[in-house]
Amino acid sequence: MGWTDERVELLKRLWQEGLSASQIAKQLGGVTRNAVIGKVHRLGLSGRATPSKPARTVFKAPRPARPVSAPSLPRRLAEPAAHAMQPAPVRYVDEPPGTATVLTLGAHMCKWPIGDPALESFTFCGRRTDEGPYCHEHAQVAYQPAQAKKKTSAAELARSLRRYL
């Protein structure tokens, strides 16, 4: 279907009203969104009354209600230090592991997965973290120190190179 004078005038009016190219194409019928965009550019139409925005509903998950309690300092368990140079890890008694779900996991909570993700009982550790994504105990498991490389002798090097010769 071609661009008649009536259709061009209707296009100009709808464009000035702020309708999108898709909405204009539906009202005109027989043209695509890209055809409308091309005609608008060829006509030199630029200013619009208001930019069109699709009416989309944004779903936000409801936040769980926070229990109201008096602020108190967390109780800590005393643990002996393994090395004199390293500070003793801090464990919070009030925070047992496995209390956080995907919906309740916050910014400063341990994100160590506990259980099978396919099951409903799947949780995250959820303990408080000072830095990084894991609590102290899970960070020790996740971040292992680099192992010292084994020095190879000339004989071992020659043996390993024989494979490639």
Side-chain angles (χ1 to χ4, degrees), residues 59-65 103-104:
F59 174 75
K60 291 187 178 181
R63 286 186 159 183
L103 298 175
T104 62

Side-chain angles (χ1 to χ4, degrees), residues 4-165:
T4 63
D5 291 337
E6 296 85 25
R7 288 171 62 89
V8 171
E9 290 303 315
L10 180 59
L11 167 69
K12 289 179 181 178
R13 184 175 54 80
L14 295 174
W15 184 259
Q16 289 300 320
E17 289 176 5
L19 270 66
S20 70
S22 297
Q23 293 168 332
I24 295 171
K26 285 180 185 175
Q27 285 195 11
L28 289 175
V31 291
T32 64
R33 170 186 158 276
N34 286 337
V36 171
I37 292 171
K39 190 65 175 177
V40 165
H41 286 291
R42 286 191 298 278
L43 291 172
L45 301 177
S46 60
R48 296 168 69 116
T50 57
S52 67
K53 292 187 179 179
R56 293 184 181 170
T57 57
V58 178
F59 174 75
K60 291 187 178 181
R63 286 186 159 183
R66 285 186 153 180
V68 179
S69 63
S72 63
L73 297 175
R75 295 179 288 158
R76 298 179 185 188
L77 290 177
E79 293 182 8
H83 301 288
M85 299 304 266
Q86 293 180 345
V90 178
R91 290 198 61 219
Y92 295 94
V93 176
D94 296 340
E95 301 171 7
T99 58
T101 65
V102 173
L103 298 175
T104 62
L105 200 59
H108 297 286
M109 296 174 77
C110 179
K111 292 161 183 70
W112 188 266
I114 297 175
D116 184 4
L119 300 176
E120 287 187 28
S121 61
F122 177 71
T123 59
F124 293 91
C125 173
R127 284 188 249 168
R128 180 182 304 275
T129 61
D130 294 326
E131 56 188 53
Y134 306 122
C135 64
H136 181 75
E137 287 84 8
H138 289 129
Q140 286 181 326
V141 175
Y143 306 115
Q144 295 288 322
Q147 301 293 326
K149 290 190 176 188
K150 185 172 70 171
K151 293 183 180 180
T152 58
S153 66
E156 290 176 20
L157 181 61
R159 191 176 334 121
S160 65
L161 290 176
R162 280 188 212 136
R163 283 185 261 177
Y164 301 107
L165 297 178

